[in-house]
Amino acid sequence: VFLGMVTGKAKASADISMDQFGLTPYFRDFEYGWVHGPRKPEAIRAILARQGLSAAETAYVGDAPSDIVAAREAGVTMYSAAWASTVDEAAREELRGLGPDEIFYSVADFREFLRGRV
């Protein structure tokens, strides 16, 4: 399984977060925030091109409505992470309304979904 990271954060900030959670060793390619504004669909496609992956074999996990839109624009499967304490019922309804391929309300549910798939 290949893991790449697309984030709106600057490299330094993303590196701190990744190190804090002990995730850095698991990711092999990164696309960071851009000074001129959001560019997640382009960043997703850039990682796919560098790694020789097709959109059909790729999934994106995100926690915001804009992540669903970006994944759709890039043509990849979208898994919505709705487990943050800041995600209330109105936010969950907005995520559901955008039609992610799957929506997860807890990390445990997401982990169970991944079991046997990766």
Side-chain angles (χ1 to χ4, degrees):
V1 172
F2 168 84
L3 293 177
M5 170 72 69
V6 173
T7 180
K9 291 183 174 187
K11 182 181 183 324
S13 177
D15 288 349
I16 290 169
S17 295
M18 296 291 287
D19 288 344
Q20 179 181 356
F21 291 108
L23 295 173
T24 304
Y26 299 103
F27 289 82
R28 296 193 335 227
D29 201 347
F30 297 85
E31 282 285 327
Y32 302 99
W34 193 43
V35 68
H36 300 292
R39 57 178 278 288
K40 283 189 178 180
E42 296 85 356
I44 294 167
R45 287 191 288 266
I47 287 180
L48 296 180
R50 283 195 301 269
Q51 299 300 324
L53 299 169
S54 72
E57 63 185 333
T58 303
Y60 184 90
V61 180
D63 63 355
S66 61
D67 292 323
I68 297 170
V69 173
R72 292 290 180 241
E73 189 175 324
V76 301
T77 297
M78 175 58 205
Y79 298 141
S80 190
W83 54 68
S85 61
T86 56
V87 179
D88 60 14
E89 188 52 41
R92 288 185 181 121
E93 187 59 37
E94 182 180 9
L95 293 172
R96 284 191 291 269
L98 289 168
D101 294 288
E102 295 283 343
I103 187 166
F104 299 96
Y105 301 104
S106 73
V107 175
D109 288 344
F110 183 55
R111 199 171 27 248
E112 184 61 30
F113 175 81
L114 292 175
R115 196 179 320 273
R117 287 183 167 86
V118 296

